[in-house]
Amino acid sequence: MATLRELKGRIGSVASSEKITGAMKMISSAKMHRAESDLRRLLPFRQQIENIIGNLLTADAEFSSPLTDERDVNSVAVAVFGSDDGLCGAYNINLFKELLAVLRGYREKFGAGVRVTVIPVGRKMVKATSKLNLPGVSVEPASGVDSKSGGDLVKDFTRH
């Protein structure tokens, strides 16, 4: 049977762990609110694009563009943004499972001849996707971009 001193030690340890998890919860909540506000700022742009496309589709005028021509799909690129933070193993595993489902869907939709390039972002996602050994699938890690990169660095990467 545990002594009173041991019980007090365990209670103190649990209280300390609760403080740490409470702080982690507050930090993740703040990050989530910041991401949500960033998405809310983009909403007017999305609505404007939807209005423009809706007006183009309802107009009786004939519109042609190389972007609207229907053509066969020969190659597809998929960017997978993983996390390198601690306690994100389940998140990365779920991303990887979803990636496999997406790749399978592309095979079914476009046929076995489609070339798929997977662009993993984040050290752990690069490691997971490096083991992909599927025909027609190549992995090209985004060098210089990781899970902590800001938007400006990602924009610069996509321009190259």
Side-chain angles (χ1 to χ4, degrees), residues 2-160:
T3 64
L4 187 59
R5 176 179 277 168
E6 290 173 345
L7 288 175
K8 285 182 180 179
R10 288 182 189 172
I11 291 170
S13 174
V14 169
S16 176
S17 295
E18 286 177 350
K19 286 180 184 177
I20 293 170
T21 53
M24 291 171 63
K25 187 176 180 180
M26 286 174 32
I27 291 169
S28 63
S29 176
K31 287 182 180 180
M32 179 64 84
H33 286 299
R34 187 171 54 237
E36 286 176 347
S37 67
D38 289 346
L39 287 174
R40 271 191 227 102
R41 284 195 325 235
L42 293 176
L43 192 59
F45 297 104
R46 177 185 171 189
Q47 291 170 342
Q48 187 65 33
I49 289 172
E50 287 176 349
N51 287 339
I52 292 170
I53 291 173
N55 289 336
L56 287 174
L57 292 175
T58 59
D60 289 336
E62 195 64 33
F63 178 78
S64 67
S65 166
L67 299 176
T68 59
D69 292 344
E70 198 168 313
R71 55 196 165 103
D72 292 335
V73 176
N74 297 324
S75 62
V76 177
V78 180
V80 184
F81 291 84
S83 177
D84 292 334
D85 289 335
L87 304 176
C88 284
Y91 172 74
N92 286 331
I93 288 170
N94 286 332
L95 281 177
F96 187 74
K97 287 179 182 177
E98 185 64 25
L99 172 67
L100 293 177
V102 166
L103 294 177
R104 197 170 26 255
Y106 284 152
R107 292 268 175 214
E108 292 170 3
K109 185 174 182 178
F110 303 122
V114 67
R115 292 184 321 269
V116 180
T117 304
V118 176
I119 305 169
V121 178
R123 188 180 75 252
K124 292 180 182 179
M125 192 53 63
V126 169
K127 183 178 178 183
T129 55
S130 67
K131 298 173 185 169
L132 277 177
N133 191 15
L134 301 171
V137 176
S138 63
V139 178
E140 297 179 16
S143 61
V145 178
D146 61 11
S147 63
K148 302 279 189 199
S149 298
D152 294 334
L153 185 62
V154 173
K155 284 180 195 173
D156 291 340
F157 173 77
T158 58
R159 290 188 185 125
H160 298 313

